[in-house]
Amino acid sequence: MTALAGAAETANIWVRSDGSNFMPKIVEAFNKSHEDQIKLDIIPTGELVQKYATAVAGGTAPDGLALDLIYTPAFAAAGQLEDITDWAKSLPYFKELSPAHVKTGTYKDRVYGLPYSADSSVLIWNKNLFKKAGLDPDKGPTTWAEIEADAEKVNALGGDVKGFYFSGSCPGCNIFTFTPLVWASGGSVLSDDGSKATLNDPKLREAIDFYRDMIKKGLVPEGAQTDTGANFFAAFAGGNIGISPSGAFAIGALNTQYKDIDYGVTFLPGKDGGWSSFAGGDNFVVTKGTPKVKVLQEFLDFSYSLEGQTLLASLGSLPVRGDIAKEALKDLDPRYQIAAEAMAKGQTPYSVVFNDIINSANGPWAQMISEVFYGDDVDGAITNAQDTMQGIIDGAAK
């Protein structure tokens, strides 16, 4: 529904710079076809959360924004977001929207954020190296034992070639790609409602030992230990890594920038099979009290249309509407279908203190990650992180 002639309004929205590849194009398409308009500001990814918090406090916040979905509960709990429950549940495709996004967008049974952009964690493998190692290049590993066995064969090629890569000192990379190994094995790192840390789950310990075993066997490059994320994708893109946990974003990057690498995409497996994924991306949220809700509704309706979802998909964001995902992706690389399925059934940890317990470089998750893969006291590191994480969660609940 467009505004009446002469009564057109303009709403201001923000997006983190990670979304600068898709958001300007979708805003441009909306503005061309609607009387109401969107003014877009792109904010550096590392600054958006603090800048939005400051803007809300100062009364200068945008009308809405695409916010990293993990931060939605914190802003909802702080009373800074508009309750959009009635609008959300009136959407005929509400039940088809990404469940992980909707869960993080919900606080105390009310909806404060709806899915906007999406990414998922997946496992990628180098088909050229698999072929050279005598492996079936079209068959990705489906268990931890298969990952390790395939990595050993690739590693045996020698030289600069290594079987496996992960960023050893990157808390964000590991919540994105390591925890799905735990989830797929029936374990967890946090209770569903975010009230309990579960780092003492035996399944987490098993996943840590799996990585430690590969490190001990020399299947992982030495530089991985100190990698804070700079080589999270670059290591695989260099062409000398057999297997690496990664994200759907890698598909577009490999296809456009590293066309000589023949690669496969599969799910992140559990110890004995099954799979899981971290559903990442942004929720669209509305600043409490904005008078521009109608314009934002129009914009979101357009983004959720087949035209909008297809445009988002073509620009690197997975569709967030499950009922039209296949159609939105039909003209793209078929490997996106795997990533879309991973996202649709993926998980996202729910916490009003996600930044403090997971993303912060000084937080318990980061401290644990820096010690358990390469350190000597795994049990001590887990116990310390478990106690610290629970303390932060309990402190926020008071």
Side-chain angles (χ1 to χ4, degrees):
M1 180 175 102
T2 53
L4 294 170
E9 293 184 280
T10 298
N12 177 215
I13 67 171
W14 288 2
V15 69
R16 53 179 167 149
S17 50
D18 285 354
S20 60
N21 54 330
F22 59 79
M23 192 64 99
K25 294 278 177 62
I26 199 139
V27 166
E28 182 185 346
F30 173 84
N31 286 344
K32 273 184 183 169
S33 57
H34 291 73
E35 289 179 36
D36 286 335
Q37 300 285 286
I38 294 291
K39 176 184 175 290
L40 174 67
D41 291 319
I42 296 170
I43 312 296
T45 296
E47 298 174 17
L48 186 136
V49 169
Q50 185 56 51
K51 190 161 184 174
Y52 183 61
T54 304
V56 168
T60 58
D63 300 296
L65 73 158
L67 177 71
D68 188 338
L69 78 169
I70 58 174
Y71 296 119
T72 321
F75 282 104
Q80 294 165 333
L81 304 180
E82 194 71 40
D83 181 335
I84 55 173
T85 308
D86 294 343
W87 164 33
K89 292 191 173 176
S90 74
L91 296 171
Y93 43 80
F94 176 68
K95 286 186 163 50
E96 300 293 338
L97 295 174
S98 164
H101 284 68
V102 173
K103 183 184 173 187
T104 58
T106 303
Y107 177 70
K108 292 189 174 176
D109 297 323
R110 304 298 290 175
V111 180
Y112 293 88
L114 284 170
Y116 196 79
S117 62
D119 193 12
S120 62
S121 49
V122 291
L123 193 68
I124 55 178
W125 77 94
N126 186 312
K127 291 188 174 186
N128 297 329
L129 294 179
F130 266 47
K131 205 178 290 181
K132 283 182 186 172
L135 294 163
D136 181 348
D138 296 318
K139 185 179 180 298
T142 59
T143 64
W144 296 357
E146 286 181 12
I147 290 176
E148 194 160 342
D150 290 352
E152 283 183 21
K153 288 193 173 174
V154 170
N155 216 64
L157 294 171
D160 293 334
V161 173
K162 287 290 181 183
F164 189 82
Y165 192 86
F166 76 107
S167 298
S169 289
C170 177
C173 311
N174 283 292
I175 198 72
F176 187 55
T177 59
F178 177 72
T179 48
L181 303 174
V182 180
W183 294 334
S185 304
S188 66
V189 298
L190 199 62
S191 65
D192 278 352
D193 64 358
S195 67
K196 298 288 178 205
T198 57
L199 300 179
N200 48 11
D201 190 315
K203 299 294 184 186
L204 175 65
R205 179 59 201 262
E206 286 182 14
I208 289 168
D209 288 341
F210 164 49
Y211 267 32
R212 286 176 70 88
D213 195 45
M214 288 197 289
I215 292 164
K216 193 176 171 185
K217 288 181 175 176
L219 307 182
V220 181
E222 287 183 13
Q225 182 173 357
T226 54
D227 179 15
T228 56
N231 287 315
F232 176 59
F233 167 72
F236 184 85
N240 291 323
I241 299 295
I243 304 166
S244 182
S246 192
F249 68 86
I251 300 171
L254 287 165
N255 289 354
T256 55
Q257 299 167 53
Y258 304 94
K259 294 180 181 177
D260 56 329
I261 296 181
D262 189 11
Y263 68 98
V265 175
T266 190
F267 304 112
L268 287 161
K271 183 179 180 181
D272 301 312
W275 59 269
S276 191
S277 178
F278 188 111
D282 286 357
N283 271 333
F284 194 86
V285 300
V286 177
T287 301
K288 191 171 181 62
T290 175
K292 305 289 178 69
V293 172
K294 180 179 68 70
V295 185
L296 298 177
Q297 287 176 336
E298 272 187 78
F299 178 67
L300 210 53
D301 283 341
F302 175 74
S303 300
Y304 284 155
S305 69
L306 181 58
E307 179 187 353
Q309 291 289 284
T310 304
L311 181 57
L312 276 161
S314 73
L315 297 167
S317 172
L318 296 172
V320 292
R321 263 188 72 178
D323 55 332
I324 58 173
K326 279 190 174 163
E327 200 175 346
L329 290 164
K330 71 177 179 0
D331 296 328
L332 301 180
D333 187 315
R335 288 171 284 206
Y336 277 115
Q337 298 281 3
I338 295 165
E341 188 180 344
M343 196 282 300
K345 295 179 183 172
Q347 298 185 42
T348 311
Y350 184 99
S351 175
V352 295
V353 286
F354 190 99
N355 192 59
D356 295 338
I357 62 173
I358 304 290
N359 272 1
S360 169
N362 302 312
W365 174 257
Q367 293 299 311
M368 185 188 79
I369 287 299
S370 68
E371 294 167 24
V372 294
F373 296 134
Y374 290 91
D376 297 324
D377 186 9
V378 178
D379 290 331
I382 291 173
T383 300
N384 186 42
Q386 166 70 23
D387 292 346
T388 306
M389 189 178 284
Q390 192 62 52
I392 294 169
I393 292 167
D394 292 343
K398 287 176 183 173

Coordinates of all heavy atoms in Angstrom, one line a residue, residues 93-137:
Y93 N 2.5 -15.1 5.8 CA 3.6 -16.0 5.8 C 4.4 -16.0 7.1 O 5.6 -16.4 7.1 CB 4.5 -15.7 4.6 CG 4.7 -14.2 4.4 CD1 5.7 -13.6 5.2 CD2 4.0 -13.5 3.5 CE1 5.9 -12.2 5.1 CE2 4.2 -12.1 3.4 CZ 5.1 -11.5 4.2 OH 5.3 -10.1 4.0
F94 N 3.8 -15.5 8.2 CA 4.6 -15.3 9.4 C 5.2 -16.6 9.8 O 6.4 -16.7 10.2 CB 3.7 -14.8 10.5 CG 4.4 -14.7 11.9 CD1 5.4 -13.8 12.1 CD2 4.0 -15.6 12.9 CE1 6.0 -13.7 13.3 CE2 4.7 -15.5 14.2 CZ 5.7 -14.6 14.4
K95 N 4.5 -17.7 9.7 CA 5.0 -19.0 10.2 C 6.1 -19.6 9.2 O 6.8 -20.6 9.5 CB 3.9 -20.1 10.3 CG 3.0 -19.8 11.5 CD 2.0 -20.9 11.7 CE 1.4 -21.0 13.1 NZ 0.9 -19.7 13.6
E96 N 6.3 -18.9 8.1 CA 7.3 -19.4 7.1 C 8.6 -18.6 7.3 O 9.6 -18.9 6.6 CB 6.8 -19.1 5.6 CG 5.6 -19.9 5.3 CD 5.8 -21.4 5.3 OE1 6.9 -21.8 5.1 OE2 4.8 -22.2 5.4
L97 N 8.6 -17.6 8.1 CA 9.8 -16.8 8.4 C 10.8 -17.6 9.2 O 10.5 -18.4 10.0 CB 9.5 -15.5 9.1 CG 8.6 -14.5 8.3 CD1 8.2 -13.3 9.1 CD2 9.3 -14.0 7.0
S98 N 12.1 -17.3 9.0 CA 13.2 -18.0 9.6 C 13.0 -18.1 11.1 O 12.9 -17.1 11.8 CB 14.5 -17.3 9.4 OG 15.5 -17.7 10.3
P99 N 12.8 -19.4 11.6 CA 12.5 -19.6 13.0 C 13.5 -19.0 14.0 O 13.2 -18.5 15.1 CB 12.4 -21.1 13.2 CG 12.2 -21.6 11.8 CD 12.8 -20.6 10.9
A100 N 14.8 -19.2 13.6 CA 15.9 -18.7 14.5 C 15.8 -17.1 14.7 O 16.0 -16.6 15.7 CB 17.3 -19.1 14.0
H101 N 15.5 -16.5 13.5 CA 15.4 -15.0 13.6 C 14.2 -14.6 14.4 O 14.3 -13.7 15.3 CB 15.2 -14.4 12.2 CG 16.5 -14.4 11.3 ND1 17.1 -15.5 10.9 CD2 17.2 -13.3 10.8 CE1 18.1 -15.2 10.1 NE2 18.2 -13.9 10.1
V102 N 13.1 -15.3 14.2 CA 11.9 -14.9 15.0 C 12.1 -15.1 16.5 O 11.7 -14.3 17.3 CB 10.7 -15.7 14.4 CG1 9.4 -15.5 15.3 CG2 10.3 -15.3 13.0
K103 N 12.8 -16.2 16.8 CA 13.0 -16.5 18.2 C 13.9 -15.4 18.8 O 13.6 -14.9 19.9 CB 13.8 -17.9 18.3 CG 14.0 -18.2 19.8 CD 14.8 -19.5 20.0 CE 15.1 -19.7 21.4 NZ 16.1 -20.9 21.6
T104 N 14.9 -15.0 18.2 CA 15.8 -13.9 18.8 C 15.0 -12.5 18.7 O 15.3 -11.6 19.5 CB 17.1 -13.7 18.0 OG1 16.9 -13.4 16.7 CG2 18.0 -15.0 18.2
G105 N 14.0 -12.4 17.9 CA 13.2 -11.2 17.8 C 12.1 -11.2 18.8 O 11.4 -10.2 18.9
T106 N 12.0 -12.2 19.6 CA 10.9 -12.3 20.6 C 11.4 -12.2 22.0 O 12.4 -12.7 22.3 CB 10.2 -13.7 20.4 OG1 9.7 -13.8 19.1 CG2 9.0 -13.8 21.4
Y107 N 10.7 -11.3 22.8 CA 11.1 -11.1 24.2 C 9.8 -11.1 25.0 O 8.9 -10.4 24.7 CB 11.8 -9.8 24.3 CG 12.2 -9.4 25.7 CD1 13.2 -10.1 26.4 CD2 11.5 -8.4 26.4 CE1 13.5 -9.8 27.7 CE2 11.9 -8.1 27.7 CZ 12.9 -8.8 28.4 OH 13.2 -8.5 29.7
K108 N 9.8 -12.0 26.0 CA 8.6 -12.2 26.8 C 7.3 -12.3 26.0 O 6.3 -11.7 26.2 CB 8.5 -11.0 27.8 CG 9.6 -11.0 28.9 CD 9.4 -10.0 29.9 CE 10.4 -10.1 31.0 NZ 10.4 -9.1 32.1
D109 N 7.4 -13.2 25.0 CA 6.3 -13.6 24.2 C 5.8 -12.5 23.3 O 4.7 -12.6 22.7 CB 5.1 -14.2 25.0 CG 5.5 -15.5 25.7 OD1 6.3 -16.3 25.1 OD2 5.1 -15.7 26.9
R110 N 6.5 -11.4 23.1 CA 6.1 -10.3 22.2 C 7.2 -10.2 21.1 O 8.4 -10.4 21.4 CB 6.0 -9.0 23.0 CG 5.0 -9.0 24.1 CD 3.6 -9.3 23.7 NE 3.0 -8.2 22.9 CZ 1.8 -8.3 22.3 NH1 1.0 -9.4 22.4 NH2 1.3 -7.3 21.6
V111 N 6.8 -9.9 19.9 CA 7.7 -9.8 18.8 C 8.2 -8.4 18.6 O 7.5 -7.4 18.5 CB 7.0 -10.2 17.5 CG1 8.0 -10.1 16.3 CG2 6.5 -11.7 17.6
Y112 N 9.6 -8.2 18.6 CA 10.2 -6.9 18.5 C 11.1 -6.9 17.3 O 11.7 -5.8 16.9 CB 11.1 -6.6 19.7 CG 10.2 -6.4 21.0 CD1 9.9 -7.4 21.8 CD2 9.8 -5.1 21.3 CE1 9.1 -7.2 22.9 CE2 9.0 -4.9 22.4 CZ 8.6 -6.0 23.2 OH 7.9 -5.8 24.3
G113 N 11.3 -8.0 16.6 CA 12.2 -8.0 15.4 C 11.8 -9.1 14.5 O 11.3 -10.2 14.9
L114 N 11.8 -8.8 13.2 CA 11.5 -9.8 12.1 C 12.7 -10.1 11.2 O 13.5 -9.2 11.0 CB 10.3 -9.3 11.3 CG 8.9 -9.4 12.0 CD1 7.9 -8.7 11.2 CD2 8.5 -10.9 12.2
P115 N 12.8 -11.3 10.7 CA 14.0 -11.6 9.9 C 14.2 -10.6 8.7 O 13.2 -10.3 8.0 CB 13.7 -13.0 9.3 CG 12.6 -13.5 10.2 CD 11.9 -12.4 10.7
Y116 N 15.4 -10.3 8.5 CA 15.7 -9.4 7.3 C 16.7 -10.1 6.4 O 16.4 -10.6 5.3 CB 16.1 -8.0 7.6 CG 16.0 -7.2 6.4 CD1 14.8 -6.7 6.0 CD2 17.1 -6.9 5.6 CE1 14.6 -6.0 4.9 CE2 16.9 -6.2 4.4 CZ 15.7 -5.7 4.0 OH 15.5 -5.1 2.8
S117 N 18.0 -10.2 6.8 CA 19.0 -10.8 6.0 C 19.4 -12.1 6.7 O 19.2 -12.2 7.9 CB 20.2 -9.9 5.8 OG 20.8 -9.6 7.0
A118 N 20.1 -13.0 5.9 CA 20.4 -14.3 6.6 C 21.7 -14.9 6.0 O 22.0 -14.7 4.8 CB 19.3 -15.3 6.4
D119 N 22.4 -15.5 6.9 CA 23.6 -16.3 6.5 C 23.5 -17.6 7.3 O 22.8 -17.7 8.3 CB 24.9 -15.5 6.9 CG 26.1 -16.1 6.3 OD1 26.0 -17.0 5.4 OD2 27.2 -15.7 6.6
S120 N 24.3 -18.6 6.9 CA 24.3 -19.8 7.7 C 25.7 -20.4 7.7 O 26.5 -20.1 6.8 CB 23.3 -20.9 7.1 OG 23.7 -21.2 5.8
S121 N 26.0 -21.2 8.7 CA 27.3 -21.8 8.7 C 27.2 -23.2 8.1 O 26.2 -23.9 8.2 CB 27.9 -21.9 10.2 OG 26.9 -22.5 11.0
V122 N 28.2 -23.5 7.3 CA 28.3 -24.7 6.5 C 29.7 -25.2 6.5 O 30.6 -24.6 7.0 CB 27.8 -24.5 5.0 CG1 26.4 -24.2 4.9 CG2 28.7 -23.4 4.4
L123 N 29.9 -26.4 5.9 CA 31.3 -27.0 5.8 C 31.6 -27.0 4.3 O 30.8 -27.3 3.4 CB 31.2 -28.4 6.3 CG 32.6 -29.1 6.5 CD1 33.3 -28.4 7.7 CD2 32.5 -30.6 6.8
I124 N 32.8 -26.5 4.0 CA 33.2 -26.4 2.6 C 34.5 -27.3 2.4 O 35.3 -27.4 3.3 CB 33.5 -25.0 2.1 CG1 34.5 -24.2 3.0 CG2 32.2 -24.2 2.0 CD1 34.8 -22.8 2.5
W125 N 34.6 -27.9 1.2 CA 35.8 -28.7 1.0 C 36.3 -28.4 -0.4 O 35.6 -28.1 -1.3 CB 35.5 -30.2 1.2 CG 34.8 -30.9 0.1 CD1 35.3 -31.6 -0.9 CD2 33.4 -31.0 0.0 NE1 34.3 -32.2 -1.7 CE2 33.1 -31.8 -1.2 CE3 32.3 -30.5 0.7 CZ2 31.8 -32.1 -1.6 CZ3 31.0 -30.8 0.3 CH2 30.8 -31.6 -0.8
N126 N 37.7 -28.6 -0.6 CA 38.3 -28.3 -1.8 C 38.3 -29.6 -2.7 O 39.0 -30.5 -2.4 CB 39.8 -27.8 -1.6 CG 40.5 -27.4 -2.8 OD1 40.5 -28.1 -3.8 ND2 41.2 -26.2 -2.7
K127 N 37.5 -29.6 -3.8 CA 37.4 -30.7 -4.6 C 38.7 -31.1 -5.3 O 39.0 -32.3 -5.5 CB 36.3 -30.5 -5.6 CG 34.9 -30.5 -5.0 CD 33.8 -30.5 -6.1 CE 32.4 -30.6 -5.5 NZ 31.4 -30.7 -6.5
N128 N 39.5 -30.1 -5.7 CA 40.8 -30.4 -6.4 C 41.7 -31.2 -5.5 O 42.3 -32.2 -5.9 CB 41.4 -29.1 -6.8 CG 40.6 -28.2 -7.8 OD1 39.9 -28.8 -8.6 ND2 40.8 -26.9 -7.7
L129 N 41.8 -30.7 -4.2 CA 42.6 -31.5 -3.3 C 42.1 -32.8 -2.9 O 42.9 -33.8 -2.7 CB 42.8 -30.6 -2.0 CG 43.6 -29.3 -2.1 CD1 43.6 -28.5 -0.8 CD2 45.0 -29.5 -2.7
F130 N 40.8 -32.9 -2.8 CA 40.2 -34.3 -2.6 C 40.6 -35.2 -3.7 O 40.9 -36.4 -3.5 CB 38.6 -34.2 -2.5 CG 38.1 -34.0 -1.1 CD1 38.7 -33.1 -0.2 CD2 37.1 -34.8 -0.6 CE1 38.3 -32.9 1.1 CE2 36.6 -34.6 0.7 CZ 37.2 -33.7 1.6
K131 N 40.5 -34.8 -4.9 CA 40.8 -35.6 -6.1 C 42.2 -36.0 -6.0 O 42.6 -37.2 -6.2 CB 40.5 -34.8 -7.4 CG 40.2 -35.7 -8.6 CD 39.9 -34.8 -9.8 CE 38.6 -34.1 -9.7 NZ 38.3 -33.2 -10.9
K132 N 43.1 -35.1 -5.8 CA 44.6 -35.4 -5.7 C 44.9 -36.4 -4.6 O 45.8 -37.2 -4.7 CB 45.4 -34.1 -5.4 CG 45.6 -33.2 -6.7 CD 46.4 -32.0 -6.3 CE 46.5 -31.1 -7.5 NZ 47.1 -29.8 -7.1
A133 N 44.1 -36.3 -3.5 CA 44.3 -37.2 -2.3 C 43.6 -38.6 -2.5 O 43.7 -39.4 -1.6 CB 43.8 -36.5 -1.1
G134 N 43.0 -38.8 -3.7 CA 42.3 -40.1 -3.9 C 40.9 -40.2 -3.3 O 40.4 -41.3 -3.2
L135 N 40.4 -39.1 -2.9 CA 39.0 -39.1 -2.3 C 38.0 -38.7 -3.3 O 38.3 -38.2 -4.4 CB 38.9 -38.0 -1.2 CG 39.8 -38.2 0.1 CD1 40.0 -36.9 0.9 CD2 39.2 -39.3 0.9
D136 N 36.7 -39.1 -3.1 CA 35.6 -38.7 -4.0 C 35.4 -37.2 -3.9 O 35.0 -36.8 -2.8 CB 34.4 -39.5 -3.6 CG 33.2 -39.2 -4.5 OD1 33.3 -38.3 -5.3 OD2 32.2 -40.0 -4.4
P137 N 35.7 -36.5 -4.9 CA 35.6 -35.0 -4.8 C 34.1 -34.5 -4.6 O 33.9 -33.4 -4.2 CB 36.2 -34.5 -6.1 CG 36.0 -35.6 -7.1 CD 36.1 -36.9 -6.3

